[in-house]
């Protein structure tokens, strides 16, 4: 399995802080999603293209361990790797850092699903073969 | 034109605060949207039904005047009225209060649009006649 | 330990949906937070009062298992219980439902911390005795 | 008055879309705030430094005119200028574009306020002289 982390960065937005003076915890899931969105791009994989084919990647599990708080205007490094993957599911692992400070680690587990025409129904599917290489899926 | 305000309430969420210790200003637009969503319900109008027919209400203008800050756990009263409406567009006006304190006033202007099958294209349309009565549109 | 679920409800906001046509997954953490905020209220515990004393409840772990998708305008039932608690930490467990449909289950683990005057520093602390009863902490 | 636009860019996040398949309108206010946050940085002004001195910039008015929809993964160019400014208030004007497409224009009006120790009270104040040059305030 691919143990290689790929990296992207976000700048903490004022909107992401809360009255405790730090980033609201739910935003870490948003950053993790940015990490997996960017994951395949360096190889030319764009999630928006996959969605146009009617395949979506749904989240079935998410977990975060919070270490240190992120603050307004911090630059956050999002490190993303594929922890486990098959043609039916994929699990990403993440590390979030601000400079030397570790902010959090997390994982998200996903199913590949086919979206019905009216976008109302989803059923488990498989990642089309042409995309599997991006995630080290044989 | 309908000068009658209809009212709904929201409780301020921790997620809606920012490090200034008050509600982040963009959330007022979210509350205003809840106000117009609830506006027609007492008469049996549900926006989700309209969308199922492929008609969406797009926002073309929004403005807010902020008076006093809303704080975590405040109960916010959202007062919504139709300021102007035709078969092609509608403008809502809002008052936001927390108890005796006026938080803000605002307006949003909307166009009725038809959504294409693939949900990728929008074109100006008219509100179907059966819905016009909900907004005082003759 | 307290196995009793307490319940609160939220209406799905348009702002909470994403282009997949369902609620964006990170919002489930926001709903879970509403659940724990409301948890103690029926007994007269208000988190805002605790914060005024300089004690905050920080999130150190969060996990969600997603079952079925929540949709715009659904009424979501948030069921919250204390899974584990001491004077230093507390773990909440959650069930989210929309009518008969189970949307998700989740847990969040928290530390009680003292906030410095300038709101810049946090250090592990204990929940003041007068509040412990609200969470079944002896 | 400074008519010069300064530019910054954001990538549209999945979390920012809604079930209409486009960016939820309230997020434009978040982008506009990123624009003004970045405005002074090229000159070495950091809003976080101002807040540490107990001076905050509160929003008193915001308005947006929406032209074309932004979509997931679009790169949005945020163009920000100072439309009007004094030692007591400042108004920013914004243009948002995605490639050749104009997404929106907007303005926000702000007051400089002093934040009390406990971060509970705000009173109108003046921007400290040393910061005025960043915004063309004489």
């Amino acid at each position: 399995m691919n143990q290689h982390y790929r990296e992207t960065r976000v700048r903490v937005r004022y909107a992401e802080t809360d009255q405790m003076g730090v980033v609201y915890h739910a935003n870490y899931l948003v950053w993790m999603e940015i990490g997996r969105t960017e994951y395949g791009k360096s190889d030319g994989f764009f999630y928006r293209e996959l969605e146009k084919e009617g395949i979506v990647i749904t989240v079935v599990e998410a977990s975060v361990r919070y270490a240190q708080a992120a603050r307004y205007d911090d630059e956050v490094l999002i490190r993303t790797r594929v922890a486990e993957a098959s043609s039916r599911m994929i699990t990403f692992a993440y590390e979030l850092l601000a400079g030397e400070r570790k902010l959090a680690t997390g994982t998200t587990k996903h199913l590949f699903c086919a979206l019905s025409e009216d976008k109302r129904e989803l059923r488990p599917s498989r990642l089309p073969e042409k995309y599997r290489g991006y995630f080290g899926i044989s």
Side-chain angles (χ1 to χ4, degrees), chain A:
Chain A
M1 187 37 53
N2 182 353
Q3 295 304 311
H4 178 51
Y5 276 104
R6 306 223 178 142
E7 304 187 343
T8 186
R9 288 172 164 74
V10 292
R11 176 75 54 182
V12 174
R13 303 172 170 189
Y14 206 93
E16 293 173 326
T17 62
D18 65 26
Q19 71 181 43
M20 207 180 293
V22 299
V23 171
Y24 184 70
H25 68 287
N27 292 309
Y28 288 61
L29 288 187
V30 177
W31 296 344
M32 285 156 58
E33 196 228 308
I34 291 169
R36 61 184 180 267
T37 295
E38 296 300 319
Y39 182 89
K41 280 188 179 176
S42 53
D43 298 335
F45 171 77
F46 293 92
Y47 181 63
R48 66 197 303 176
E49 298 307 316
L50 184 64
E51 271 203 357
K52 284 179 187 169
E53 294 192 29
I55 302 294
V56 297
I57 303 179
T58 61
V59 182
V60 289
E61 291 178 27
S63 66
V64 187
R65 285 179 175 268
Y66 299 89
Q68 294 187 62
R71 295 185 181 282
Y72 169 61
D73 210 35
D74 283 347
E75 183 183 70
V76 177
L77 173 65
I78 306 165
R79 307 183 68 228
T80 307
R81 68 179 177 85
V82 174
E84 188 181 1
S86 73
S87 61
R88 297 192 177 281
M89 60 73 66
I90 186 166
T91 298
F92 291 97
Y94 312 86
E95 284 183 8
L96 303 175
L97 298 98
E100 297 303 298
R101 296 184 303 123
K102 177 182 278 193
L103 303 178
T105 57
T107 62
T108 56
K109 182 178 178 180
H110 307 264
L111 292 183
F112 301 112
C113 291
L115 190 60
S116 63
E117 274 306 304
D118 65 359
K119 293 193 170 184
R120 303 290 298 173
E121 302 303 327
L122 285 174
R123 59 179 183 287
S125 181
R126 287 172 177 245
L127 182 67
E129 289 209 356
K130 66 180 175 183
Y131 296 112
R132 295 181 189 177
Y134 294 115
F135 304 106
I137 301 169
S138 53

